[in-house]
Amino acid sequence: MNTISNLSIYKNTPNLGGQKPQLPNGTASIRNVYIETYGCQMNVSDSELMAGILTQSGHRTVSHIDDADVILLNTCAIRENAETKVINRLEHLNHRKRREGNLIIGVCGCMAQHLRDKLLKAAPYVDLVMGPDAYRNLPMALNAVANGDPFLGLQLDKSEDYADIAPIRKEGIRAWLTIQRGCDKMCTFCIVPFVRGRERSIPLKNLTDDVQRLVNEGFKEIVLLGQTVNSYHDGNHDFGELLWRIAEVDGVERVRFTSPHPADATDSMIDAMENCPQVCKQLHLPLQSGSTPVLERMRRTYTAEEYRELVSKLRERIPQIALSTDIIVGFCGETEVDFMQTYQLMADIRFDSAFMFKYSDREGTLANKSLEDDVPETEKARRLNEIIKLQEGISAEINQDVIGTTASVLVEGDSRRDAEQYHGKTDTFKTTVFPKENVQVGDIVNVEIHSATAHTLIGEIAGSNC
Ligand code: SAH
Ligand code: F3S
């Protein structure tokens, strides 16, 4: 079996500024690589990075799976069902591998790092298992597997930030920019620190240069990405400063970020959100639970009361702010009283939207080692349904209140349902649909909102006679 430890010569490869280098001696052949992405936006961003690394070394990425001789699944490990989905997909791909013989199948990302060589036991036809800090070795790995041995690249590396790699993005108006990798928070339910390693921030200068390039390529909105994006610190600059500096790049229309941690919501961050016109008035602020004892067991480092106070402060400083959150129900030891506190906090705060999950016990996490996953599955499902119902009602009501107002919308493209309509996002990240007028994708337009569902605003460009 190949391992990555003796194959790390690509580390510190200079940025070739888009030039294609010669394939290294011994490279078997140029490959057509299809990358299929699962999970969060960080994975989407990592897939763009992988495409950059592969292209830089002479390989091609393809947009149709049928054209590929290498298929890489960039995977998620956050909940059990994310991994089950990938195992099913691998079985399907193995049918094709059996037919074609020379297809290379790779599993990359968090699930690869989580399951390690156990993945090869579950799916022995997999050729390559590669974690998030090993992507520099992808070209090397493709060569290595050509001789039939599987390749494992699983070292975590706190110094790896891929700052010198130019990702390959799809054209569009919104670019996702990773500013930080890994997580130091160690929430007890979460697998991320174990599969993505320690936190590291990319130097501000690299990021502002990246943003200038993105603007030159036509992107209008920059979304900064990190596991706890607001704990960003490159040694000299904190997150608030970064927001200002990114927003100052000539041509940047909008800046967003995801996901911040409530404990790192500093005045410097709030000040940038309040006073920097390009920074959108929208915040995804994961709560997880409304019960302080549960938050303690989760090691979230804030109480329910502190979270409430933070929300009050944000709304005082930025009255139009839209808030969304993540909630887990059925965490170890969660009683009906704990659950009702979550329900009540959601009802009081009235988030614009929420991602809601049943707790999923993950092997390797602190909760898995020291707490009992003792809420029955049926009870988790009931609690989840209750908060979903609550949140749907709140989201619908909040959107109803927008009817009759005018929203500033960045035009993103044709509406999925009707090519006569455009869709775009408001500053508060609400999807808005409206008939096409004399405007272009990438324009920011004023849209009068006429109607709304829980998830979409519907209107027309202000002043139009449609
Ligand atoms: N800070 C990260 C969190 C990543 S995980 C970010 O938002 O970028 C995203 C969400 O998944 C978490 O906020 C949490 O609500 C949920 N989650 C994480 N681990 C989970 C688990 N074991 N079971 C259920 N949900 C989980
Ligand atoms: Fe996970 Fe908590 Fe970090 S949710 S990503 S350990 S902030």
Side-chain angles (χ1 to χ4, degrees), residues 49-223:
L49 183 79
M50 287 154 70
I53 290 168
L54 288 163
T55 309
Q56 212 179 70
S57 63
H59 296 287
R60 285 185 287 259
T61 51
V62 294
S63 48
H64 292 288
I65 195 162
D66 293 343
D67 298 332
D69 46 42
V70 177
I71 299 173
L72 301 178
L73 305 187
N74 188 9
T75 61
C76 170
I78 204 85
R79 283 168 290 273
E80 192 181 349
N81 57 9
E83 292 190 346
T84 312
K85 217 192 239 172
V86 170
I87 293 287
N88 292 339
R89 181 68 174 142
L90 285 171
E91 277 164 20
H92 177 81
L93 293 177
N94 189 33
H95 292 304
R96 179 170 156 195
K97 186 171 170 113
R98 281 213 220 101
R99 274 199 315 275
E100 292 178 15
N102 56 356
L103 181 70
I104 294 174
I105 299 177
V107 180
C108 303
C110 296
M111 177 180 171
Q113 191 72 40
H114 184 216
L115 295 186
R116 306 175 73 87
D117 53 348
K118 275 196 259 169
L119 197 48
L120 295 178
K121 293 195 183 91
Y125 45 85
V126 165
D127 301 284
L128 188 160
V129 180
M130 189 169 270
D133 283 351
Y135 297 146
R136 236 173 244 278
N137 294 282
L138 263 174
M140 175 68 76
L142 293 186
N143 281 351
V145 298
N147 66 18
D149 283 340
F151 186 100
L152 288 182
L154 296 168
Q155 95 281 13
L156 289 173
D157 179 356
K158 186 169 166 34
S159 70
E160 180 56 279
D161 62 8
Y162 300 111
D164 58 310
I165 304 283
I168 295 191
R169 296 178 168 85
K170 280 204 197 113
E171 278 179 23
I173 55 113
R174 177 176 302 115
W176 304 85
L177 182 66
T178 298
I179 65 161
Q180 175 208 57
R181 300 183 69 84
C183 182
D184 282 352
K185 292 281 193 243
M186 291 305 226
C187 302
T188 55
F189 54 79
C190 187
I191 196 70
V192 169
F194 301 94
V195 294
R196 287 193 164 268
R198 303 301 302 266
E199 183 181 314
R200 60 216 95 138
S201 294
I202 296 169
L204 184 137
K205 177 74 173 87
N206 289 62
L207 296 171
T208 48
D209 288 352
D210 287 345
V211 170
Q212 188 60 70
R213 262 193 301 276
L214 291 169
V215 168
N216 296 345
E217 287 168 27
F219 290 98
K220 307 278 182 194
E221 180 173 304
I222 308 295
V223 189

Side-chain angles (χ1 to χ4, degrees), residues 78-79 189-190 192 226-228 259 286 288 326-328 357-360 362:
I78 204 85
R79 283 168 290 273
F189 54 79
C190 187
V192 169
Q227 299 297 338
T228 52
S259 288
Q288 313 302 359
D326 291 343
I327 304 282
I328 298 175
F357 312 101
K358 287 185 282 187
Y359 171 59
S360 170
R362 309 305 290 134

Side-chain angles (χ1 to χ4, degrees), residues 285-421:
L285 195 63
L287 164 64
Q288 313 302 359
S289 170
S291 152
T292 296
V294 173
L295 288 170
E296 266 169 26
R297 280 201 296 283
M298 288 177 163
R299 282 213 202 150
R300 287 292 290 178
T301 73
Y302 52 84
T303 64
E305 202 42 50
E306 283 164 348
Y307 188 96
R308 265 183 211 271
E309 282 162 14
L310 175 59
V311 167
S312 301
K313 182 172 173 181
L314 285 162
R315 286 184 165 154
E316 210 172 282
R317 298 270 301 268
I318 312 159
Q320 72 276 44
I321 195 168
L323 293 174
S324 56
T325 198
D326 291 343
I327 304 282
I328 298 175
V329 292
F331 184 62
C332 309
E334 186 190 74
T335 62
E336 185 63 18
V337 171
D338 293 320
F339 168 67
M340 283 318 294
Q341 285 175 349
T342 300
Y343 188 96
Q344 194 54 52
L345 194 48
M346 291 177 75
D348 292 347
I349 289 181
R350 295 175 64 79
F351 294 102
D352 288 72
S353 62
F355 294 104
M356 293 159 277
F357 312 101
K358 287 185 282 187
Y359 171 59
S360 170
D361 186 17
R362 309 305 290 134
E363 201 182 330
T365 58
L366 301 177
N368 173 264
K369 286 185 186 135
S370 60
L371 299 169
E372 198 186 337
D373 179 18
D374 55 358
V375 179
E377 190 56 30
T378 49
E379 188 52 25
K380 287 181 184 171
R382 182 191 67 81
R383 292 178 190 178
L384 181 64
N385 285 337
E386 288 211 10
I387 55 167
I388 288 176
K389 214 161 82 191
L390 170 70
Q391 185 57 47
E392 284 285 303
I394 294 171
S395 297
E397 282 167 17
I398 290 178
N399 281 358
Q400 289 298 309
D401 286 347
V402 182
I403 294 174
T405 65
T406 300
S408 146
V409 177
L410 177 56
V411 185
E412 289 184 31
D414 288 359
S415 148
R416 248 180 294 154
R417 294 210 184 134
D418 180 356
E420 302 293 302
Q421 307 238 349

